[in-house]
Amino acid sequence: MRRRMGRPGLLGTMARTAVVAGTAAAQAPAADRVGQLTALAELKAKGLLTDEEFAAEKARVLGA
């Protein structure tokens, strides 16, 4: 059977789309976590969170 050259077929296009979507989805939670950690750091800097509260929330955000 001869392999077709040129544009990818339907399966190849679907696979590429899945990879791109997965990469974008992985970047979104990372950006969300960075935003949450930044907000926590700002609250701590303003004195609204204690060191213990900050550490607990940071662990929660990071899933530790």
Side-chain angles (χ1 to χ4, degrees):
M1 179 180 219
R2 285 178 58 156
R3 293 199 65 136
R4 197 169 69 135
M5 296 295 195
R7 295 186 344 202
L10 178 61
L11 187 58
T13 301
M14 289 173 56
R16 183 179 309 146
T17 301
V19 168
V20 170
T23 302
Q27 290 175 349
D32 187 45
R33 280 189 276 171
V34 170
Q36 290 177 356
L37 292 173
T38 301
L40 287 172
E42 289 173 359
L43 290 172
K44 183 176 178 265
K46 291 178 181 177
L48 299 174
L49 287 179
T50 65
D51 289 339
E52 294 80 20
E53 292 169 327
F54 176 77
E57 287 300 309
K58 180 175 137 183
R60 183 188 59 78
V61 169
L62 296 176

